[in-house]
Amino acid sequence: MEGSKIADTNIRDGMVHEMEVCLPLNILLVAGESEIHCLNIDGQSDILLEELFKTPCCAENKHISIFSSLAAFTPMNSEQVLICKISRNGDAASFQDFRSLRLTSKPLQWKLWENKLTVLHQSGIISVYQVYPEEVCLYESDPCMMIMYKNPCWMFRDAIFCSTLASIGLIVRTSYWLFGYQVEKTGRLVRKLDQDKINPADDIWSLALKGSLLLCGTEMGRLVLFSIERGNEDSIKSVLLPMHLEDSIVSVKSADHSNIVLEFDRNRSPVAALQVSNRPVLSVDIGIKEERIYLYYRTCMENISCVVLDNKS
C-alpha cells in the first residue's frame, strides 16, 4: 500500500471554524477568526498545508462554500456574500472578485452548486441566486420558522435538510425534518420523518449526502447508510463557469434529487446500519476512494472517528 503524508499546521488566527477543499487547484480554504486562509495540499511539496495567501472575512459568519474553483464567503459586510474565482500558478494563488451579492438580511449559510447560490437567512427566508452568466434573484421564500429559530440545517448540492430538534418542547411537540431540492422550481420544503409519540424511532441528528449515498447519524449512536436510486435524468451535463481569467465549460454529474428518500431505517432497508457509540452522532461525512467507503463521524468535540466499508457496487 502506498504511504500517505500526514500534516498539520497552525494558521495563527484563533479557532478553525470551517474548511473546504478546492480539488481542481489542490487548495484547502480554512476560515479562522478574522481571515480565510488558502493552503497548499498538492502533495508535491515537502511542506504540506503551506499558506499561499489569506483574505479578511466576516467576524460573525465563517461559512465557506466551493464549487469547482469558485468560493463563496462573507467578507467584512455581514449582509453580503462574496463569490471569488480562485486562480493558482505553482506556489502562487489569488482570489479575483467575481460577484458581490447584497442580501436583504444576514445569512446563516449558503451553498454554491453549478451556477446558483442558495442562501438560508437568519430571518428564515430561503433565496436562490443565479450567479453566472448574469446575476439574477431566482427565488425568495416566505420566512420559515424552523430556519429562523436556527434549527440544524444541512445543504448538499441544491438540496436543503432542516431538523426541528432544537425546537422540541418550544414550537413543536415531536421532531420532524423539512426537505427540499431546487426550491426555485418547487417553491417549498416538505415535511419528512415525523416521529410517532407512542412508538418513536431512533431520531436522526446529522446527515451527509455524497453521490448516491445518504449517511445518517442517530440519537442512539448509530450510522445508517442509504443508497439513492438513480433515475433516468442522471447524466453528465455541461455547465458554463468562469474559470481563472477565461470562461470554461465544466462537466458535472447531476444527481436526480427527486429520488432522495428520507425515511427511518425501520421503514426502509439501509445499505448498512452500524452501532458505533452510546452517544448521539453529532456530525457525519462520507469519503469514497476506489472500492472503499469511508464513514466519518463525531460524537464529541475532541475526536473524529471513521468506519471503512467495502464498496461492492
Side-chain angles (χ1 to χ4, degrees):
M1 179 181 294
E2 183 178 341
S4 300
K5 292 184 178 180
I6 299 176
D8 57 43
T9 190
N10 187 342
I11 60 172
R12 296 178 174 83
D13 187 20
M15 180 184 296
V16 171
H17 290 269
E18 286 208 16
M19 298 186 294
E20 281 280 313
V21 176
C22 178
L23 287 175
L25 301 178
N26 289 318
I27 281 174
L28 176 69
L29 294 187
V30 180
E33 290 293 340
S34 60
E35 294 173 308
I36 302 289
H37 301 259
C38 180
L39 307 180
N40 168 39
I41 55 168
D42 65 11
Q44 303 301 314
S45 169
D46 290 335
I47 307 175
L48 287 176
L49 303 182
E50 176 186 13
E51 184 162 277
L52 302 177
F53 76 96
K54 55 189 177 183
T55 187
C57 66
C58 176
E60 298 179 27
N61 196 322
K62 316 296 184 182
H63 189 60
I64 309 171
S65 180
I66 288 179
F67 181 78
S68 189
S69 60
L70 292 179
F73 61 94
T74 301
M76 303 308 290
N77 185 340
S78 60
E79 293 189 6
Q80 175 187 12
V81 174
L82 181 64
I83 301 175
C84 295
K85 291 185 285 187
I86 311 172
S87 60
R88 179 171 185 178
N89 184 9
D91 291 334
S94 63
F95 273 178
Q96 179 182 353
D97 290 358
F98 174 65
R99 287 282 185 267
S100 180
L101 300 177
R102 299 276 179 178
L103 307 178
T104 55
S105 60
K106 292 182 179 180
L108 281 172
Q109 62 187 92
W110 50 89
K111 186 67 176 180
L112 267 176
W113 176 249
E114 297 179 353
N115 64 336
K116 298 173 186 175
L117 181 77
T118 302
V119 183
L120 306 184
H121 297 251
Q122 292 185 21
S123 60
I125 291 173
I126 303 171
S127 58
V128 181
Y129 296 87
Q130 174 184 290
V131 299
Y132 192 77
E134 299 173 340
E135 180 185 328
V136 180
C137 182
L138 301 175
Y139 173 77
E140 188 167 280
S141 73
D142 293 329
C144 172
M145 186 176 297
M146 296 307 159
I147 297 175
M148 186 188 307
Y149 276 79
K150 298 184 179 180
N151 281 275
C153 294
W154 287 263
M155 304 176 74
F156 303 98
R157 303 194 287 257
D158 56 0
I160 301 170
F161 301 82
C162 178
S163 168
T164 64
L165 286 171
S167 297
I168 296 176
L170 298 175
I171 56 177
V172 296
R173 293 183 178 180
T174 60
S175 68
Y176 60 87
W177 283 70
L178 293 172
F179 165 69
Y181 63 94
Q182 298 178 351
V183 291
E184 72 276 11
K185 296 179 181 179
T186 61
R188 65 194 182 101
L189 301 180
V190 295
R191 186 163 166 162
K192 299 285 186 179
L193 297 177
D194 281 274
Q195 275 286 17
D196 184 339
K197 291 182 67 175
I198 299 176
N199 184 26
D202 186 6
D203 236 332
I204 293 174
W205 277 45
S206 57
L207 49 79
L209 175 67
K210 180 163 290 186
S212 61
L213 296 176
L214 177 67
L215 176 62
C216 301
T218 75
E219 182 179 16
M220 297 178 68
R222 295 188 307 139
L223 297 179
V224 184
L225 182 66
F226 294 100
S227 177
I228 300 169
E229 295 182 4
R230 294 194 179 278
N232 296 328
E233 298 178 11
D234 290 350
S235 61
I236 296 289
K237 64 181 179 180
S238 296
V239 180
L240 183 63
L241 285 175
M243 303 289 290
H244 306 294
L245 299 179
E246 298 179 356
D247 294 343
S248 300
I249 300 293
V250 178
S251 293
V252 297
K253 184 76 173 182
S254 178
D256 183 0
H257 290 311
S258 61
N259 285 339
I260 296 176
V261 178
L262 196 58
E263 291 186 0
F264 293 116
D265 61 312
R266 70 183 185 186
N267 301 324
R268 178 174 173 234
S269 298
V271 174
L274 308 170
Q275 185 74 46
V276 294
S277 177
N278 57 4
R279 298 179 177 181
V281 179
L282 304 178
S283 61
V284 293
D285 203 354
I286 305 172
I288 302 173
K289 184 177 181 182
E290 298 174 349
E291 296 183 354
R292 291 186 173 181
I293 300 172
Y294 298 83
L295 308 182
Y296 298 94
Y297 65 95
R298 179 172 60 83
T299 60
C300 62
M301 296 302 295
E302 292 80 13
N303 299 313
I304 296 176
S305 304
C306 179
V307 174
V308 182
L309 303 178
D310 290 331
N311 186 4
K312 298 179 180 180
S313 61

